[in-house]
Amino acid sequence: QKEVEQDPGPLSVPEGAIVSLNCTYSNSAFQYFMWYRQYSRKGPELLMYTYSSGNKEDGRFTAQVDKSSKYISLFIRDSQPSDSATYLCAMRRVLTGGGNKLTFGTGTQLKVEL
Amino acid sequence: GAVVSQHPSWVICKSGTSVKIECRSLDFQATTMFWYRQFPKQSLMLMATSNEGSKATYEQGVEKDKFLINHASLTLSTLTVTSAHPEDSSFYICSAFSGGKNIQYFGAGTRLSVL
C-alpha cells in the first residue's frame, strides 16, 4: 500500500464548477501538507501549504486537512480553463528525524472545459 | 513565492556524452536541494537529496556514479548525467528547501533527450 493515495483521474468539469481533489494517507507522522499544481512539461508550483489539521483559504482555493481521518482536500471554486493541470498532493513529517523529504500522491489530472 | 531557476530547460545529446543540469535558488539560501525524475503521466520520483558541503544522499536504486550531484554553495546544486543513454531520457526537476518558510520550491524542469 502506498503511503499517499490519490485518484489519477482524469477529472473533467465544466467552467465555473467547484472542483474537489482529495488524498488519503497512512502515515500518522505527516504534519505538513501541500498542494502543488503542475502544467504539462513544467515544474510543480506550490498552491497551498497547511500545517496539521484545519482549513486554509486563498482566493478560489481552499485546503482542508483532517488528520483524524488521514484525509486532505483541495477545493477550487469557479473553475477556469486555466486551472487545467495536474494537481499533486504532498506531505512530510516534522524536520527532526524525518528530514524534509516530500511524499507525493500520484497527481490528479484536471480538465476544465468551456 | 520563492524562485528556483533550473537550466537548461531542454537538452538533446548524443549517447555516451555527459550532461550537466543546474539548479539555483535565486532569493534564498538552501542547505538542502532535491533532484527528481518524472516519467510521462507519473508523479515525481525522488532521486537524491543534495546537501550543501557534503555528499548527496541517493534513493535506493539510483546509481550515484551515473547521476553525480554537487552542492558547492548555498544557492547552487548541479546534477550531471554521465555517459547518457537513451533510457536516461526523462524530465528532471530540482527543488530547494527554504528553511525560513519551511517550504520546498521547484524549478521548471529539464527535458533530457538522449539520441
Side-chain angles (χ1 to χ4, degrees):
Chain A
Q1 183 187 4
K2 293 180 181 178
E3 278 192 292
V4 180
E5 298 278 358
Q6 183 177 10
D7 187 338
L11 177 62
S12 184
V13 301
E15 183 179 9
I18 297 175
V19 176
S20 173
L21 303 168
N22 312 292
C23 288
T24 59
Y25 62 96
S26 57
N27 190 340
S28 58
F30 288 136
Q31 295 284 348
Y32 299 92
F33 304 91
M34 287 135 280
W35 286 95
Y36 287 89
R37 177 175 62 195
Q38 186 178 25
Y39 291 111
S40 181
R41 302 188 178 190
K42 297 292 184 182
E45 171 194 7
L46 180 67
L47 281 178
M48 300 291 283
Y49 168 68
T50 310
Y51 171 68
S52 195
S53 285
N55 295 355
K56 187 173 184 178
E57 186 175 321
D58 184 2
R60 296 185 295 115
F61 299 93
T62 299
Q64 289 185 350
V65 174
D66 182 350
K67 290 191 66 183
S68 63
S69 302
K70 297 190 180 66
Y71 187 87
I72 69 171
S73 301
L74 177 70
F75 298 96
I76 306 174
R77 292 182 296 280
D78 187 25
S79 56
Q80 304 294 312
S82 58
D83 294 328
S84 298
T86 296
Y87 290 80
L88 296 152
C89 65
M91 47 198 79
R92 67 173 176 84
R93 293 166 286 182
V94 295
L95 290 180
T96 304
N100 42 40
K101 289 196 291 187
L102 294 176
T103 301
F104 283 92
T106 53
T108 299
Q109 186 179 353
L110 171 67
K111 184 173 183 180
V112 181
E113 302 193 53
L114 291 169
Chain B
V3 179
V4 174
S5 173
Q6 186 172 342
H7 178 80
S9 58
W10 191 14
V11 57
I12 302 174
C13 69
K14 293 182 179 179
S15 184
T17 60
S18 295
V19 174
K20 180 185 282 188
I21 303 170
E22 290 188 352
C23 182
R24 294 180 185 273
S25 56
L26 297 185
D27 56 358
F28 66 98
Q29 294 183 328
T31 55
T32 306
M33 291 184 173
F34 300 89
W35 288 95
Y36 297 84
R37 185 172 179 175
Q38 187 176 35
F39 293 103
K41 298 190 184 297
Q42 294 189 24
S43 190
L44 285 73
M45 182 188 76
L46 180 65
M47 299 174 65
T49 302
S50 172
N51 304 296
E52 188 269 335
S54 64
K55 291 183 179 180
T57 305
Y58 290 82
E59 295 299 301
Q60 191 173 10
V62 178
E63 300 175 60
K64 61 180 181 181
D65 295 330
K66 174 79 172 172
F67 299 100
L68 299 179
I69 291 172
N70 184 276
H71 194 154
S73 77
L74 288 171
T75 59
L76 174 64
S77 176
T78 60
L79 169 69
T80 301
V81 183
T82 62
S83 186
H85 291 283
E87 58 266 28
D88 298 323
S89 298
S90 191
F91 192 53
Y92 293 88
I93 309 173
C94 74
S95 71
F97 180 73
S98 167
K101 295 188 176 182
N102 209 19
I103 290 173
Q104 203 174 121
Y105 294 97
F106 286 82
T110 297
R111 182 161 305 278
L112 172 63
S113 298
V114 184
L115 304 177

